Amino acid sequence: MSGQGSLWDIYRSRLSAATFTDLTHAFRPGQPKFPSFPDEQRNTVLDHSKGDSFQVHHYAFVGQWGTHVDPPVHFIDGGRTLDELPVSEMLLPLVILDISERVAADPDATPTLDDIAAWEARNGRIPEKCFVALRTGWWPRWPDIAKFENRSSDGVSHTPGWSKPVLEELIERRGVTAIGHEGIDTDPGVATSAGDGSLEYYVLSRDCWQIELLANLDKLPEAGALIVASWPKPKGGSGFPARAFAIHEAAS
């Protein structure tokens, strides 16, 4: 088979000249995390410096560690688990909803329906079965825990997050497959500081999945890119570090 008329042609003609942007933080002990989670433990089992012929590490961390995937079962009893998410959902059109300018002035900012309307006025209707990522400009704070949590003197975390009207519009009326964001939580910090995770519950209750702690969203076009998101396949898994990247046209 020569590959004529196949996906190889698309790779040679388009993808080989495209830009590949990593959307993933490298994880490590001592990084920002959900407050109640234990830190990562990492031990060197075998190492070249010990005279061993190869290197092996033992890792221990919670599933929701670093840039990670949350399947529905993370919040929903009986929801889809990691091994039940099909590989067909790991390659999706990528929509970037950008509120970074508002976040720079107000870290508690969230997206509005006007943001969707403005995006669609420029690019057309948000496509069904896509991945929508919320760009907030928060990712460069990684891995500084204090900057990432941005807590006021009363202990409240002031970080951007999603809003219920926008999520309802995307999930119920646009039929998106998954969402993602640069922060630790779906909900803004003022909500999670009060123990409110209702937006994450809503997303996962609609059989959608999400990627948290995305990086480099500012390097992507707001429309036209693809996202590839992959993760290991633990049986019944409720979360795991993910590797996500975008494929897009090179900047002009």
Side-chain angles (χ1 to χ4, degrees):
M1 180 178 178
S2 66
Q4 291 294 324
S6 71
L7 292 177
W8 289 3
D9 288 333
I10 296 175
Y11 176 79
R12 283 190 287 259
S13 64
R14 298 295 301 276
L15 296 185
S16 62
T19 297
F20 287 67
T21 298
D22 196 350
L23 307 180
T24 315
H25 292 290
F27 64 78
R28 66 183 194 186
Q31 68 183 20
K33 62 182 179 63
F34 191 72
S36 63
F37 289 167
D39 199 3
E40 174 187 338
Q41 297 181 27
R42 185 182 303 192
N43 299 309
T44 303
V45 179
L46 298 169
D47 193 48
H48 306 292
S49 64
K50 299 177 181 179
D52 301 313
S53 58
F54 49 90
Q55 187 182 75
V56 174
H57 287 107
H58 178 268
Y59 303 91
F61 46 75
V62 296
Q64 278 67 27
W65 191 248
T67 303
H68 65 271
V69 56
D70 290 327
V73 76
H74 178 45
F75 269 36
I76 307 302
D77 188 15
R80 286 192 296 170
T81 58
L82 287 184
D83 55 304
E84 293 173 331
L85 297 182
V87 293
S88 59
E89 293 186 11
M90 294 181 178
L91 173 63
L92 298 170
L94 176 59
V95 167
I96 302 293
L97 206 59
D98 186 0
I99 63 166
S100 57
E101 286 190 10
R102 292 208 305 278
V103 171
D106 175 14
D108 297 319
T110 60
T112 68
L113 293 178
D114 287 342
D115 294 313
I116 293 179
W119 191 98
E120 292 187 331
R122 294 187 297 270
N123 305 291
R125 187 175 174 86
I126 290 174
E128 187 179 6
K129 296 183 179 179
C130 73
F131 185 109
V132 181
L134 183 64
R135 180 190 167 196
T136 58
W138 210 255
W139 77 265
R141 294 170 179 250
W142 184 275
D144 188 307
I145 295 174
K147 289 182 178 179
F148 219 82
E149 294 181 346
N150 195 37
R151 295 187 183 275
S152 52
S153 58
D154 58 2
V156 174
S157 178
H158 295 276
T159 60
W162 289 91
S163 66
K164 186 67 174 292
V166 164
L167 289 173
E168 287 178 333
E169 190 71 19
L170 293 175
I171 294 171
E172 308 296 342
R173 287 173 281 281
R174 298 299 185 277
V176 307
T177 293
I179 65 159
H181 39 271
E182 299 170 332
I184 289 176
D185 295 294
T186 315
D187 299 76
V190 291
T192 59
S193 295
D196 179 5
S198 58
L199 296 184
E200 183 164 356
Y201 181 92
Y202 169 73
V203 171
L204 301 181
S205 74
R206 304 309 297 164
D207 198 37
C208 294
W209 52 271
Q210 65 176 17
I211 299 283
E212 297 193 299
L213 293 167
L214 289 168
N216 294 317
L217 293 183
D218 55 320
K219 297 176 173 61
L220 308 179
E222 67 175 3
L226 300 174
I227 187 171
V228 179
S230 185
W231 47 83
K233 193 178 180 181
K235 184 71 174 175
S238 60
F240 217 93
R243 189 67 182 268
F245 63 92
I247 307 172
H248 55 100
E249 300 291 345
S252 59

